[in-house]
Short mmCIF file of all heavy atoms in Angstrom, two decimals:
data_model
loop_
_atom_site.label_atom_id
_atom_site.label_comp_id
_atom_site.label_asym_id
_atom_site.label_seq_id
_atom_site.Cartn_x
_atom_site.Cartn_y
_atom_site.Cartn_z
N ASN B 320 -38.86 -14.71 -39.19
CA ASN B 320 -38.17 -13.93 -40.22
C ASN B 320 -36.76 -14.48 -40.45
O ASN B 320 -35.91 -14.45 -39.57
CB ASN B 320 -38.11 -12.46 -39.75
CG ASN B 320 -37.51 -11.54 -40.79
OD1 ASN B 320 -36.96 -12.01 -41.80
ND2 ASN B 320 -37.61 -10.25 -40.55
N ARG B 321 -36.48 -14.96 -41.63
CA ARG B 321 -35.24 -15.64 -41.96
C ARG B 321 -34.00 -14.73 -41.82
O ARG B 321 -32.90 -15.19 -41.53
CB ARG B 321 -35.33 -16.14 -43.41
CG ARG B 321 -34.46 -17.35 -43.74
CD ARG B 321 -34.84 -17.88 -45.10
NE ARG B 321 -34.68 -16.87 -46.15
CZ ARG B 321 -33.61 -16.76 -46.93
NH1 ARG B 321 -32.61 -17.60 -46.80
NH2 ARG B 321 -33.54 -15.83 -47.85
N THR B 322 -34.20 -13.44 -42.03
CA THR B 322 -33.05 -12.52 -41.94
C THR B 322 -33.03 -11.77 -40.60
O THR B 322 -32.29 -10.80 -40.44
CB THR B 322 -33.07 -11.48 -43.07
OG1 THR B 322 -34.28 -10.72 -42.96
CG2 THR B 322 -32.99 -12.13 -44.43
N ALA B 323 -33.83 -12.23 -39.67
CA ALA B 323 -33.90 -11.54 -38.38
C ALA B 323 -32.72 -11.91 -37.49
O ALA B 323 -32.02 -12.91 -37.73
CB ALA B 323 -35.20 -11.88 -37.67
N ALA B 324 -32.50 -11.10 -36.49
CA ALA B 324 -31.41 -11.35 -35.54
C ALA B 324 -31.89 -11.01 -34.12
O ALA B 324 -32.80 -10.20 -33.95
CB ALA B 324 -30.19 -10.51 -35.87
N VAL B 325 -31.25 -11.67 -33.18
CA VAL B 325 -31.44 -11.33 -31.78
C VAL B 325 -30.11 -10.77 -31.29
O VAL B 325 -29.05 -11.38 -31.54
CB VAL B 325 -31.82 -12.57 -30.94
CG1 VAL B 325 -31.94 -12.21 -29.46
CG2 VAL B 325 -33.12 -13.16 -31.43
N VAL B 326 -30.15 -9.62 -30.61
CA VAL B 326 -28.88 -9.03 -30.16
C VAL B 326 -28.91 -8.82 -28.64
O VAL B 326 -29.97 -8.65 -28.04
CB VAL B 326 -28.59 -7.68 -30.86
CG1 VAL B 326 -28.45 -7.87 -32.35
CG2 VAL B 326 -29.67 -6.66 -30.53
N GLY B 327 -27.71 -8.81 -28.05
CA GLY B 327 -27.59 -8.59 -26.61
C GLY B 327 -27.90 -7.15 -26.24
O GLY B 327 -27.71 -6.23 -27.04
N ALA B 328 -28.39 -6.96 -25.02
CA ALA B 328 -28.78 -5.62 -24.58
C ALA B 328 -27.59 -4.67 -24.55
O ALA B 328 -27.70 -3.50 -24.94
CB ALA B 328 -29.40 -5.71 -23.18
N SER B 329 -26.42 -5.16 -24.10
CA SER B 329 -25.23 -4.28 -24.04
C SER B 329 -24.80 -3.86 -25.43
O SER B 329 -24.41 -2.71 -25.66
CB SER B 329 -24.07 -5.01 -23.37
OG SER B 329 -24.42 -5.39 -22.09
N LEU B 330 -24.88 -4.81 -26.36
CA LEU B 330 -24.48 -4.52 -27.75
C LEU B 330 -25.43 -3.49 -28.36
O LEU B 330 -24.98 -2.53 -29.00
CB LEU B 330 -24.50 -5.83 -28.56
CG LEU B 330 -23.94 -5.77 -29.96
CD1 LEU B 330 -22.47 -5.41 -29.95
CD2 LEU B 330 -24.16 -7.10 -30.68
N ALA B 331 -26.73 -3.69 -28.13
CA ALA B 331 -27.72 -2.75 -28.67
C ALA B 331 -27.51 -1.36 -28.08
O ALA B 331 -27.59 -0.35 -28.78
CB ALA B 331 -29.12 -3.26 -28.35
N SER B 332 -27.19 -1.36 -26.78
CA SER B 332 -26.97 -0.08 -26.11
C SER B 332 -25.72 0.60 -26.64
O SER B 332 -25.68 1.81 -26.86
CB SER B 332 -26.85 -0.34 -24.61
OG SER B 332 -26.39 0.80 -23.97
N LYS B 333 -24.67 -0.21 -26.87
CA LYS B 333 -23.39 0.34 -27.35
C LYS B 333 -23.56 1.06 -28.68
O LYS B 333 -23.02 2.14 -28.89
CB LYS B 333 -22.38 -0.81 -27.48
CG LYS B 333 -21.03 -0.39 -28.01
CD LYS B 333 -20.09 -1.57 -28.09
CE LYS B 333 -18.74 -1.17 -28.66
NZ LYS B 333 -17.85 -2.35 -28.79
N TYR B 334 -24.32 0.44 -29.60
CA TYR B 334 -24.47 1.04 -30.93
C TYR B 334 -25.78 1.81 -31.10
O TYR B 334 -26.05 2.33 -32.18
CB TYR B 334 -24.37 -0.06 -31.99
CG TYR B 334 -22.96 -0.63 -32.09
CD1 TYR B 334 -22.73 -1.98 -31.85
CD2 TYR B 334 -21.88 0.18 -32.43
CE1 TYR B 334 -21.45 -2.51 -31.94
CE2 TYR B 334 -20.60 -0.34 -32.52
CZ TYR B 334 -20.39 -1.67 -32.27
OH TYR B 334 -19.14 -2.19 -32.35
N GLY B 335 -26.60 1.86 -30.06
CA GLY B 335 -27.87 2.58 -30.14
C GLY B 335 -28.85 1.89 -31.07
O GLY B 335 -29.68 2.55 -31.71
N TRP B 336 -28.79 0.58 -31.16
CA TRP B 336 -29.70 -0.16 -32.07
C TRP B 336 -31.10 -0.20 -31.49
O TRP B 336 -31.29 -0.30 -30.28
CB TRP B 336 -29.20 -1.60 -32.27
CG TRP B 336 -27.93 -1.68 -33.08
CD1 TRP B 336 -27.42 -0.73 -33.88
CD2 TRP B 336 -27.05 -2.80 -33.14
NE1 TRP B 336 -26.25 -1.17 -34.46
CE2 TRP B 336 -26.00 -2.45 -34.02
CE3 TRP B 336 -27.03 -4.06 -32.56
CZ2 TRP B 336 -24.95 -3.31 -34.33
CZ3 TRP B 336 -26.01 -4.92 -32.87
CH2 TRP B 336 -24.96 -4.54 -33.74
N ARG B 337 -32.07 -0.18 -32.40
CA ARG B 337 -33.47 -0.30 -31.99
C ARG B 337 -34.11 -1.49 -32.70
O ARG B 337 -33.59 -1.98 -33.71
CB ARG B 337 -34.22 0.97 -32.37
CG ARG B 337 -33.72 2.22 -31.65
CD ARG B 337 -34.50 3.47 -32.10
NE ARG B 337 -34.62 3.56 -33.56
CZ ARG B 337 -33.66 4.04 -34.35
NH1 ARG B 337 -32.51 4.46 -33.85
NH2 ARG B 337 -33.86 4.09 -35.65
N LEU B 338 -35.24 -1.92 -32.17
CA LEU B 338 -35.97 -3.03 -32.79
C LEU B 338 -36.39 -2.63 -34.20
O LEU B 338 -36.76 -1.47 -34.44
CB LEU B 338 -37.22 -3.37 -31.97
CG LEU B 338 -36.99 -3.98 -30.60
CD1 LEU B 338 -38.30 -4.06 -29.82
CD2 LEU B 338 -36.39 -5.38 -30.75
N GLY B 339 -36.27 -3.55 -35.11
CA GLY B 339 -36.67 -3.28 -36.49
C GLY B 339 -35.55 -2.68 -37.32
O GLY B 339 -35.66 -2.58 -38.55
N GLN B 340 -34.49 -2.27 -36.69
CA GLN B 340 -33.37 -1.67 -37.41
C GLN B 340 -32.59 -2.75 -38.16
O GLN B 340 -32.47 -3.89 -37.70
CB GLN B 340 -32.46 -0.96 -36.41
CG GLN B 340 -31.28 -0.27 -37.07
CD GLN B 340 -30.46 0.52 -36.05
OE1 GLN B 340 -30.96 0.83 -34.95
NE2 GLN B 340 -29.25 0.85 -36.40
N THR B 341 -32.06 -2.39 -39.31
CA THR B 341 -31.27 -3.34 -40.08
C THR B 341 -29.79 -3.08 -39.81
O THR B 341 -29.32 -1.94 -39.87
CB THR B 341 -31.55 -3.18 -41.58
OG1 THR B 341 -32.93 -3.47 -41.80
CG2 THR B 341 -30.72 -4.15 -42.40
#
Side-chain angles (χ1 to χ4, degrees):
Chain B
N320 185 350
R321 206 170 59 96
T322 60
V325 177
V326 298
S329 301
L330 188 62
S332 168
K333 178 179 178 182
Y334 291 120
W336 290 343
R337 297 178 312 278
L338 291 171
Q340 181 175 342
T341 298

